[in-house]
Amino acid sequence: MTAAIIDGAAVAARLRSEITREVEQMVAAHGVRPGLATVLVGDNPASQTYVRMKRKACEEVGIQSFGHELPADASQEEVEGLVRSLNADPAIHGILVQLPLPGHLNEEAILNAISIEKDVDGFHPVNIGRLAMKGREPLFIPCTPHGVIVLLEEAGAKFEGANAVVLGRSNIVGMPAAMLLVHRNATVTICHSRTKDLPEVCRRADILVAAVGRAEMVRGDWIKPGAIVIDVGTNRVDDPAAKRGYRLVGDVAFDEAKEVAGAITPVPGGVGPMTIAMLLKNTLRGAELAVSQLA
Ligand code: NDP
């Protein structure tokens, strides 16, 4: 079998053009242009790149972006004070605090300070708590796990009663992805570094989501024939032949897996582009919430 390749870049491009249309409709109908504030503390080059990409993506769909940069030694009070001022600013509908924060800052307290109505990353404990509860809906779903679900839908996944295996239990990917799958009535197994017989657990998966950060850990013979595989992992491996000296690979050995799976996401070009598209969608949703409160 050769798997269908799930083209995350194409799905994200489609979403971005829908969002562009909806942003202009909102401006025309309510005179409100969605706005995203980014908060970057320190000068971590990867974080700077992520923030730049997010702000550029905003511009392309007509969302205003407001960049705030604080020095690496900014105090807890300064960062929380900035977040509180953004909470109060009516031009801002989403607040994104780029993680990781410098070690001296209390990340939990800073994320807690974001108004849940502007929590476009979906990391506020109230949003995560609602995601974990039966019959409750979060205001915002975390972007990467939401992208995973959209790609599964795109691949025609039948969630109800499916065996879904999620590799990884982080707050930002594995755990919320598992909760979203439970909401769709899949039977979910969450694996982590202490899981025994990982290949055997994976072989039972109709849906396999890999978010561990270990280059090509999941081999072809771990995959059930016909399974849908979503590879969240983004790992650099040395490659002297590549211009930058490295290339990006996922957590799944793609060449092996594509011979067994029914459908699979590539890395790059799978989940990565979806994360930013879902952030734009959440910012639009933040503006919709603000408009509905004006009515
Ligand atoms: P974390 O490091 O926070 O979590 C990794 C998880 O994988 C942990 O739960 C850990 O277990 C588990 N794990 C680690 N090693 C193993 C192993 N050998 N066997 C089984 N489980 C293992 O990572 P993130 O969730 O933040 O990210 C995961 C990957 O996804 C990374 O490659 C990251 O770059 C990528 N990513 C991609 C995004 C995108 O937009 N495409 C967005 C966010 C992340 P334990 O809990 O026991 O430590």
Side-chain angles (χ1 to χ4, degrees), residues 155-275:
K158 309 243 180 309
F159 294 102
E160 183 113 4
N163 279 327
V165 171
V166 179
L167 305 182
R169 56 176 165 179
S170 72
N171 291 338
I172 62 169
V173 191
M175 194 56 81
M179 293 191 288
L180 289 168
L181 288 162
V182 170
H183 275 265
R184 284 161 181 75
N185 297 319
T187 303
V188 180
T189 306
I190 303 170
C191 300
H192 45 76
S193 63
R194 282 13 158 250
T195 299
K196 294 203 167 67
D197 299 330
L198 203 52
E200 201 45 50
V201 178
C202 292
R203 277 183 208 116
R204 293 199 290 270
D206 305 305
I207 292 170
L208 181 62
V209 177
V212 289
R214 299 270 181 268
E216 300 182 326
M217 183 183 86
V218 178
R219 310 310 305 189
D221 65 359
W222 296 24
I223 292 168
K224 179 175 175 177
I228 305 182
V229 179
I230 306 291
D231 191 354
V232 185
T234 313
N235 310 291
R236 282 183 182 189
V237 293
D238 291 341
D239 182 353
K243 211 163 59 190
R244 289 177 295 190
Y246 67 88
R247 66 195 157 87
L248 291 181
V249 300
D251 291 341
V252 179
F254 182 82
D255 288 339
E256 294 174 17
K258 77 176 184 351
E259 299 305 321
V260 190
I264 185 168
T265 56
V267 177
V271 176
M274 293 299 291
T275 298

Side-chain angles (χ1 to χ4, degrees), residues 61 113 149 287:
V61 299
I149 295 294

Side-chain angles (χ1 to χ4, degrees), residues 47-67:
S47 294
Q48 287 171 331
T49 304
Y50 290 137
V51 166
R52 213 172 26 247
M53 283 164 63
K54 288 167 185 175
R55 296 194 62 197
K56 181 163 171 279
C58 281
E59 261 167 50
E60 284 168 7
V61 299
I63 290 176
Q64 292 191 83
S65 80
F66 304 87

